[in-house]
């Protein structure tokens, strides 16, 4: 199926001066651009009514399935402005494929991968003026062609530090949020016969505006993120809603985020909040938990592919908390980091649990973590050659 996304440009964009002020310090998830990509689906017509239209609220019946049964999915990716002024996406096809996998798990209609990428492309083209400059500054020279009614929003998990001030790090981008919700109004538990697809966009500032810092994770024994056969490998809102209580527990114990263990009681590590966890060993291995109950992160896969170029052997396997503790204490595990779209790589410098605490390395972000982080960023912003075919030019 081929879907087009023709542009219906807004008659009331945010004025250029206001947009430039926002881009000077956008934070994360606080402001939204002028437009959104849209499409509808129903069981009789399939996908239809697609386009790029002015950003606006939409009305749903109080009985819509998404409100009562949580039948929805979403994605997260970014658009980057390169030094030549061009705007690029990073591995959007991987996000499209994960979106389809999530849809299957939540019994939602699968959007064709080509339509997913086209929707993102056309929204970015419509709101290209909202993509920050490569050096992190506001987009002064592109006119007044984009904007939105500014809207505030809370930051996602493990993104609290992204909302600080400062924009000179060269890590600004346009964050893109595709999502799909079940909209049929009924109160019976079955797959919805109607759904709405949207893509919205929000300018994002540097995740670490004052320099990359490490976080401490709370090892929760109260909550688990996912179970075998559950929705852990899907990107759905229920996984994130279920994480909020664990985040509160972490903060009550003086930690920035939470580390989940497997739900079966085997003591194996899974995810760090909403990010994939990776360990660097003294012997040159890059260890990460195997897939199954965790999300197949695009940044995770990127890091595993780039690891050999930095002298690391990528290994996906089960990792126990006991192995992590022992490795940190005897120096076998030299660095730990979390990988995700928002922060790219977040150094993890310590862990706390019920009655114990331990530090990784010397308690500061490690050199391998920082080198990997820089390698990923250099690819995304076009500062180094893309030998993997991951970059996708939009305009």
């Amino acid at each position: 199926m081929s879907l087009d996304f023709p542009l219906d440009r807004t008659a009331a964009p945010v004025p250029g001066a206001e947009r430039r002020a926002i881009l000077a310090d956008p934070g994360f998830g606080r402001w939204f651009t002028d437009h959104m990509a849209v499409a509808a689906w129903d069981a009789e017509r399939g996908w239809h009514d697609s386009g790029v239209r002015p950003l606006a609220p939409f009305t749903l019946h109080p009985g819509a399935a998404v409100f009562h049964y949580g039948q929805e999915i979403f994605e997260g990716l970014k658009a980057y402005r390169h030094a030549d002024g061009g705007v690029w996406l990073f591995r959007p096809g991987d996000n499209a494929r994960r979106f389809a996998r999530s849809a299957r798990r939540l019994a939602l209609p699968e959007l064709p991968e080509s339509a997913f990428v086209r929707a993102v492309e056309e929204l970015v083209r419509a709101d290209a003026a909202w993509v920050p400059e490569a050096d992190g500054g506001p987009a002064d020279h592109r006119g007044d062609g984009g904007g939105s009614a500014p809207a505030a929003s809370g930051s996602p998990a493990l993104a609290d530090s992204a909302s600080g001030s400062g924009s000179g790090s060269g890590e600004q981008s346009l964050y893109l949020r595709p999502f799909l919700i079940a909209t049929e109004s009924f109160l019976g538990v079955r797959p919805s016969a109607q759904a709405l697809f949207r893509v919205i966009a929000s300018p994002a500032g540097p995740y670490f505006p004052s320099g990359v810092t490490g976080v401490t994770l709370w090892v929760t024994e109260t909550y688990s993120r996912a179970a075998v056969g559950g929705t852990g490998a899907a990107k759905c809102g229920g996984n994130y809603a279920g994480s909020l209580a664990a985040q509160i527990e972490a903060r009550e114990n003086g930690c920035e985020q939470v580390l989940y263990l497997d739900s079966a009681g085997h003591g194996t590590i899974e995810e760090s909040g909403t990010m994939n966890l990776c360990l660097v060993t003294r012997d040159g291995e890059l260890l990460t938990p195997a897939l199954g109950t965790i999300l197949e992160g695009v940044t995770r896969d990127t890091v595993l592919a780039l690891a050999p170029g930095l002298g690391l052997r990528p290994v996906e396997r089960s990792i126990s908390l006991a192995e992590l503790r022992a490795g940190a204490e005897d120096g076998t595990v030299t660095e730990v980091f979390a990988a995700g779209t928002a922060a790219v790589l977040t150094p993890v410098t310590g862990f706390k649990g019920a009655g114990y605490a331990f530090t990784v390395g010397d308690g500061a972000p490690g050199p391998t973590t920082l080198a990997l982080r820089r390698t990923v960023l250099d690819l995304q912003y076009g500062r180094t050659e893309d030998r993997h075919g991951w970059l996708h030019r939009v305009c």
Side-chain angles (χ1 to χ4, degrees):
M1 176 183 295
S2 176
L3 287 177
D4 292 324
F5 290 85
L7 172 62
D8 175 13
R9 188 172 290 281
T10 181
V14 163
E18 185 176 345
R19 186 189 67 246
R20 288 189 289 271
I22 291 170
L23 290 179
D25 184 17
F28 190 97
R30 293 163 50 200
W31 313 101
F32 295 89
T33 66
D34 276 308
H35 300 92
M36 60 182 178
V38 306
W41 176 91
D42 63 50
E44 293 183 358
R45 291 177 290 176
W47 289 103
H48 61 281
D49 196 23
S50 56
V52 175
R53 299 171 188 163
L55 181 73
F58 52 91
T59 301
L60 294 178
H61 190 282
V66 65
F67 296 139
H68 302 276
Y69 309 115
Q71 196 183 4
E72 66 82 46
I73 59 171
F74 67 96
E75 268 299 325
L77 66 161
K78 293 178 179 179
Y80 307 87
R81 187 173 297 280
H82 289 188
D84 64 358
V87 178
W88 300 70
L89 302 172
F90 185 73
R91 304 186 68 173
D94 292 277
N95 293 97
R97 286 183 282 276
R98 188 171 65 182
F99 197 67
R101 292 194 299 270
S102 295
R104 286 195 295 274
R105 181 61 185 86
L106 273 293
L108 284 161
E110 293 182 38
L111 182 71
E113 292 174 16
S114 60
F116 178 101
V117 175
R118 182 73 181 274
V120 171
E121 287 177 334
E122 295 304 331
L123 177 59
V124 172
R125 289 189 182 106
D127 287 335
W130 283 90
V131 183
E133 293 288 355
D135 64 359
D140 291 326
H141 67 278
R142 291 187 301 278
D144 297 344
S148 75
S153 170
S155 297
L158 229 163
D160 293 345
S161 63
S163 60
S165 61
S167 58
S169 71
E171 291 185 21
Q172 289 197 354
S173 59
L174 184 66
Y175 183 82
L176 299 153
R177 171 53 59 85
F179 62 96
L180 178 62
I181 60 174
T183 56
E184 184 183 1
S185 56
F186 73 100
L187 297 178
V189 183
R190 60 167 174 78
S192 174
Q194 298 173 350
L196 290 178
F197 170 71
R198 297 287 188 270
V199 187
I200 56 177
S202 175
Y207 192 91
F208 297 105
S210 300
V212 179
T213 58
V215 299
T216 300
L217 303 184
W218 171 256
V219 183
T220 181
E221 297 180 6
T222 307
Y223 303 101
S224 60
R225 179 187 171 276
V228 175
T231 60
K235 198 167 179 68
C236 59
N239 292 344
Y240 294 76
S243 75
L244 300 178
Q247 288 182 46
I248 293 171
E249 181 186 60
R251 288 169 183 162
E252 289 174 344
N253 286 278
C255 298
E256 289 82 5
Q257 254 296 352
V258 64
L259 174 65
Y260 292 106
L261 303 178
D262 71 286
S263 62
H266 299 144
T268 57
I269 65 175
E270 293 205 331
E271 288 194 3
S272 163
T274 58
M275 301 177 74
N276 298 124
L277 201 70
C278 296
L279 285 61
V280 178
T281 73
R282 184 173 54 201
D283 296 330
E285 287 187 329
L286 179 64
L287 303 177
T288 193
L291 299 174
T293 57
I294 67 174
L295 188 68
E296 186 175 355
V298 176
T299 306
R300 172 188 183 273
D301 187 70
T302 299
V303 168
L304 291 174
L306 294 174
L310 278 79
L312 298 169
R313 299 187 304 279
V315 178
E316 300 176 69
R317 65 169 173 81
S318 175
I319 306 165
S320 69
L321 175 62
E323 178 183 0
L324 170 60
R325 288 185 65 179
E329 290 168 1
D330 68 13
T332 302
V333 174
T334 59
E335 301 177 38
V336 178
F337 62 85
T341 299
V344 188
L345 270 62
T346 299
V348 178
T349 53
F351 294 84
K352 290 176 65 177
Y356 65 88
F358 60 95
T359 300
V360 178
D362 61 2
T368 301
T369 298
L370 297 178
L372 274 168
R373 188 174 191 276
R374 176 50 54 192
T375 300
V376 175
L377 287 168
D378 284 347
L379 272 170
Q380 292 172 334
Y381 286 92
R383 296 188 289 257
T384 190
E385 182 183 359
D386 175 21
R387 298 180 179 178
H388 299 268
W390 287 336
L391 289 171
H392 182 96
R393 184 156 193 164
V394 177
C395 56

